[in-house]
């Protein structure tokens, strides 16, 4: 269950998603936190470069694989502004990261994009548990969802201009 201790990390994910949008990218941000509460790595989307694998959750998995023991990875938490896509969920599972906490779900994002008239992406959105069935997943976080929704509205309004 998402608790008060999770909220600063989730708010940081919203800040990182906002930064991504301000830099001309899609609004996603993620933070990797140790079992002891230390921020180990954070990033935001970099897909505007043309490489659509440059999701922050994927970067976290890469970083964790090279910098953490399997035990430390399993005890860590990945906080993210949006539920992992199938690619990032698979990377999370293969690397053996622990808990995932997300602000908005892939189901919510799919509905928002449809409302905005955005074509479906080339990879179908799936809940994390369909890709990595044994990972602990928590979300969405209703108190922050509207902020993420607004970022996606801003992204697609700016693309229309």
């Amino acid at each position: 269950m998402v608790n008060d201790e999770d909220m600063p990390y989730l708010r940081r994910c919203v800040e990182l998603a906002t930064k991504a949008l301000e830099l001309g990218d899609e609004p996603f941000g993620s933070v990797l936190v140790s079992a002891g509460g230390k921020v180990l790595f954070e990033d935001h989307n970099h897909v505007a470069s043309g490489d659509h694998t440059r999701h922050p959750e994927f970067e976290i998995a890469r970083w964790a694989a090279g910098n953490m023991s399997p035990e430390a990875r399993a005890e860590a938490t990945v906080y993210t502004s949006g539920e992992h896509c199938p690619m990032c969920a698979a990377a999370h599972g293969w690397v053996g990261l622990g808990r995932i906490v997300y602000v908005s779900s892939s189901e919510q994002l799919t509905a928002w994009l449809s409302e905005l008239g955005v074509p479906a992406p080339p990879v179908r959105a799936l809940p994390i548990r369909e890709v990595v069935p044994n990972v602990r997943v928590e979300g969405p976080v209703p108190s922050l969802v509207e902020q993420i929704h607004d970022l996606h509205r801003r992204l697609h309004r700016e693309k229309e201009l």
Side-chain angles (χ1 to χ4, degrees):
M1 176 162 194
V2 177
N3 60 47
D4 290 343
E5 293 175 16
D6 296 315
M7 295 308 290
Y9 305 117
L10 291 165
R11 283 191 285 276
R12 179 63 181 149
C13 292
V14 174
E15 290 171 2
L16 290 164
T18 302
K19 179 180 178 182
L21 182 62
E22 290 167 354
L23 293 172
D25 221 313
E26 295 178 6
F28 293 92
S30 302
V31 178
L32 175 65
V33 177
S34 72
K38 181 181 178 191
V39 173
L40 301 173
F41 186 88
E42 62 180 32
D43 201 7
H44 58 78
N45 246 27
H46 296 280
V47 301
S49 68
D51 179 351
H52 290 277
T53 67
R54 298 287 313 275
H55 297 184
E57 305 88 351
F58 202 77
E59 299 296 335
I60 282 174
R62 285 185 182 126
W63 185 89
N67 293 282
M68 299 173 74
S69 69
E71 296 79 20
R73 291 192 303 259
E75 294 172 354
T77 298
V78 175
Y79 294 93
T80 189
S81 61
E83 184 175 9
H84 292 22
C85 72
M87 172 186 71
C88 294
H92 187 106
W94 283 116
V95 169
L97 285 162
R99 176 177 176 238
I100 298 170
V101 183
Y102 60 82
V103 174
S104 61
S105 70
S106 57
E107 181 179 353
Q108 288 170 314
L109 178 60
T110 299
W112 299 338
L113 296 178
S114 177
E115 289 169 9
L116 293 165
V118 177
V123 176
R124 187 170 63 128
L126 298 171
I128 294 167
R129 286 187 187 98
E130 285 192 35
V131 181
V132 189
N134 296 320
V135 72
R136 184 172 158 208
V137 181
E138 297 170 23
V141 179
S143 63
L144 297 175
V145 164
E146 193 52 38
Q147 290 179 55
I148 299 300
H149 189 186
D150 184 57
L151 292 174
H152 286 281
R153 281 192 295 260
R154 285 176 46 199
L155 169 69
H156 294 289
R157 266 192 241 125
E158 290 170 11
K159 283 185 176 180
E160 291 174 0
L161 299 177

